[in-house]
């Protein structure tokens, strides 16, 4: 099975990204064909500072590699190193109704938050469809916020195939319920754009500040608490197995639990969980040239596959006039 997903280098990667997408991708590389990339063309819609975009891109690559992406077992690259995707975006644009793009939740949400409605932001889902279709991807591991984008990709692929003949694989999103929406420290969806993240590789002081700032309700210590309404419980649950989660739930339901104790424990759990990866990352950033080399090699592998699908699309729409 061919699995593909991408992440925007629009800021530092966070535990929402990790559990919803990165960790699952890293597991998939053992038994599947994995395509994993850093979508810097997409990040152009929100990052307007070249130095920051370059820095975020390399940082995201270091994060992925230290967390376990293995370039021997996967195809790992930066989106803009395979510029074929922009050509496919244009080809696909002609089977996309404007109405479909106007209905995109993500676009509407970004406008509501004050972003300028430029054309890149509007056609973001077409570039994402090109990303997915260019590699014949079958399964797309993402969080719930990307569900509609993958559905749009399906619509676009079906419409293209109906118009021009069988060209693209119809992909499917994969969104496990337990990591579909991971809350940020303010209770909204954790996102690089909302300033509510816990970064995977933050300092211990930052981690403490973030967890201690999480608001809890005013239930008295000697009353039972509702774990399902508590951000701390949702975050803690990501790091423990089912048995430990049901013990934690019991602690919430038993009078006497102090939120301050849970916060202290959670800081320790998160810090320890990422400790081995932090070590790997410290070594990796001393070898940035190796990281760049890995990305270059990845883009060559990606380009081979991209070339096949792009040629087929060019042929099926009639761009290869000289045959
Ligand atoms: P962000 O919203 O932080 O900019 P991205 O858009 O780069 O994150 O998302 C990368 C991947 O991580 C996507 O698959 C997205 O659905 C997933 N993801 C990001 N934040 C969350 C979250 N809070 N809960 C679940 N999935 C998330
Ligand atoms: N739009 C996705 C996000 O913001 C990132 C993305 C771009 C992507 N291209 C993709 C995800 C292809 C999966 C497949 O999270």
């Amino acid at each position: 099975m061919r699995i593909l997903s991408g992440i925007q280098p629009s800021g530092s990667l966070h535990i929402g990204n990790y559990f919803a997408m990165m960790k699952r991708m890293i597991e998939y590389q053992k038994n599947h064909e994995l395509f994993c990339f850093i979508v810097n063309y997409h990040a152009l819609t929100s990052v307007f500072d070249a130095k920051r975009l370059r820095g975020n891109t390399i940082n995201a690559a270091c994060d992925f590699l230290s967390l376990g992406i293995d370039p021997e077992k996967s195809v790992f690259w930066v989106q803009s190193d395979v510029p074929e995707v922009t050509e496919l975006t244009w080809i696909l644009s002609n089977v996309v109704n404007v109405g479909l793009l106007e209905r995109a939740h993500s676009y509407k949400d970004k406008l509501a938050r004050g972003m300028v409605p430029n054309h890149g932001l509007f056609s973001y889902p077409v570039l994402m469809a090109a990303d997915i279709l260019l590699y014949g991807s079958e399964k797309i591991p993402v969080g719930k916020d990307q569900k509609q984008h993958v559905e749009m990709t399906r619509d676009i692929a079906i419409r293209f195939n109906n118009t021009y003949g069988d060209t693209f694989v119809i992909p499917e999103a994969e969104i496990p319920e337990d990591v579909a929406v991971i809350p940020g420290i303010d209770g909204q969806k954790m996102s690089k754009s909302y300033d509510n993240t816990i970064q995977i590789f933050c300092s211990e002081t930052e981690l403490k500040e973030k967890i201690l700032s999480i608001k809890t309700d005013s239930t008295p210590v000697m009353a039972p608490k509702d774990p399902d309404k508590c951000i701390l419980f949702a975050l803690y649950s990501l790091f423990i197995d089912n048995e430990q989660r049901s013990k934690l739930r019991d602690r919430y339901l038993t009078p006497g639990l102090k939120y301050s104790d849970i916060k202290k424990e959670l800081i320790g759990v998160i810090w320890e969980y990422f400790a081995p990866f932090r070590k790997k990352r410290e070594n990796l950033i001393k070898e940035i040239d190796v990281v760049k080399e890995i990305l270059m090699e990845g883009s060559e592998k990606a380009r081979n596959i991209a070339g096949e699908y792009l040629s087929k699309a060019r042929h099926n729409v009639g761009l290869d006039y000289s045959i």
Side-chain angles (χ1 to χ4, degrees), residues 8-11 13 38 40 50-66 76 78 81 201 281 284-296:
Q8 294 192 69
S10 48
L13 305 191
I38 298 166
N40 56 347
K51 200 168 155 209
R52 201 155 74 80
L53 184 61
R54 286 186 201 106
N56 287 349
T57 305
I58 281 290
N59 276 330
C62 290
D63 288 357
F64 254 118
L65 290 166
S66 42
F76 179 57
V78 174
D81 287 329
F201 293 112
R281 196 178 191 286
L284 204 61
I285 48 174
K286 292 182 199 137
E287 299 185 344
I288 286 300
D289 285 345
V290 175
V291 175
K292 290 180 186 164
E293 189 60 36
I294 288 173
L295 293 171
M296 267 304 122

Side-chain angles (χ1 to χ4, degrees), residues 211-224:
I211 301 293
L212 294 178
S213 76
I214 293 175
K215 290 204 174 65
T216 47
D217 64 25
S218 51
T219 315
V221 173
M222 289 321 289

Side-chain angles (χ1 to χ4, degrees), residues 4-6 8 37 39 42 124 128 131-132 140 142 146 149:
L4 172 142
S5 196
Q8 294 192 69
F37 61 143
V39 297
H42 278 105
Y124 182 111
M128 179 157 160
D131 277 338
I132 294 173
I140 318 297
V142 282
Q146 296 301 313
H149 283 159

Side-chain angles (χ1 to χ4, degrees), residues 58-130:
I58 281 290
N59 276 330
C62 290
D63 288 357
F64 254 118
L65 290 166
S66 42
L67 289 163
I69 275 284
D70 179 348
E72 300 291 321
K73 296 193 187 131
S74 61
V75 184
F76 179 57
W77 79 104
V78 174
Q79 187 185 31
S80 64
D81 287 329
V82 185
E84 284 83 347
V85 75
T86 58
E87 182 175 351
L88 184 60
T89 302
W90 180 249
I91 294 175
L92 295 179
S93 292
N94 302 291
V95 293
V96 181
N97 282 337
V98 165
L100 181 81
L101 299 178
E102 281 170 342
R103 285 192 294 277
H105 307 312
S106 164
Y107 175 66
K108 288 193 282 191
D109 179 60
K110 284 170 183 163
L111 292 200
R113 288 173 184 273
M115 278 178 80
V116 180
N118 65 40
H119 182 251
L121 202 61
F122 186 60
S123 58
Y124 182 111
V126 191
L127 176 58
M128 179 157 160

Side-chain angles (χ1 to χ4, degrees), residues 87-299:
E87 182 175 351
L88 184 60
T89 302
W90 180 249
I91 294 175
L92 295 179
S93 292
N94 302 291
V95 293
V96 181
N97 282 337
V98 165
L100 181 81
L101 299 178
E102 281 170 342
R103 285 192 294 277
H105 307 312
S106 164
Y107 175 66
K108 288 193 282 191
D109 179 60
K110 284 170 183 163
L111 292 200
R113 288 173 184 273
M115 278 178 80
V116 180
N118 65 40
H119 182 251
L121 202 61
F122 186 60
S123 58
Y124 182 111
V126 191
L127 176 58
M128 179 157 160
D131 277 338
I132 294 173
L133 303 180
L134 193 59
Y135 302 98
S137 326
E138 295 165 84
K139 196 191 270 191
I140 318 297
V142 282
K144 197 169 167 196
D145 60 313
Q146 296 301 313
K147 184 171 188 261
Q148 192 193 26
H149 283 159
V150 180
E151 280 163 2
M152 289 166 116
T153 303
R154 288 171 62 86
D155 287 352
I156 294 169
I158 291 169
R159 198 170 172 142
F160 189 99
N161 287 355
N162 286 342
T163 311
Y164 294 110
D166 206 19
T167 313
F168 296 118
V169 174
I170 312 298
E172 219 180 317
E174 197 215 29
I175 310 170
E177 202 40 56
D178 55 340
V179 291
V181 185
I182 293 165
I185 56 174
D186 58 358
Q188 293 187 82
K189 173 201 166 256
M190 187 179 290
S191 172
K192 294 181 219 101
S193 356
Y194 306 166
D195 196 19
N196 66 352
T197 68
I198 299 169
Q199 296 172 10
I200 301 169
F201 293 112
C202 62
S203 70
E204 198 170 7
T205 312
E206 278 164 344
L207 178 63
K208 280 185 189 155
E209 276 171 13
K210 293 272 175 98
I211 301 293
L212 294 178
S213 76
I214 293 175
K215 290 204 174 65
T216 47
D217 64 25
S218 51
T219 315
V221 173
M222 289 321 289
K225 324 260 177 326
D226 184 351
D228 298 319
K229 292 205 176 110
C230 182
I231 303 168
L232 296 172
F233 182 80
L235 294 176
Y236 206 149
S237 294
L238 298 167
F239 293 88
I240 53 184
D241 60 25
N242 285 341
E243 200 187 319
Q244 292 167 312
R245 198 169 306 129
S246 80
K247 281 193 187 142
L248 184 62
R249 180 174 287 281
D250 287 345
R251 284 174 64 197
Y252 267 76
L253 300 176
T254 310
L257 176 119
K258 287 190 195 146
Y259 286 126
S260 56
D261 288 343
I262 297 293
K263 285 187 175 180
K264 261 187 243 152
E265 278 174 43
L266 182 57
I267 292 166
V269 164
I270 299 179
W271 188 251
E272 284 312 313
Y273 184 94
F274 291 111
F277 305 119
R278 216 161 19 242
K279 269 253 151 338
K280 251 174 108 180
R281 196 178 191 286
E282 279 162 18
N283 293 329
L284 204 61
I285 48 174
K286 292 182 199 137
E287 299 185 344
I288 286 300
D289 285 345
V290 175
V291 175
K292 290 180 186 164
E293 189 60 36
I294 288 173
L295 293 171
M296 267 304 122
E297 283 171 14
S299 70

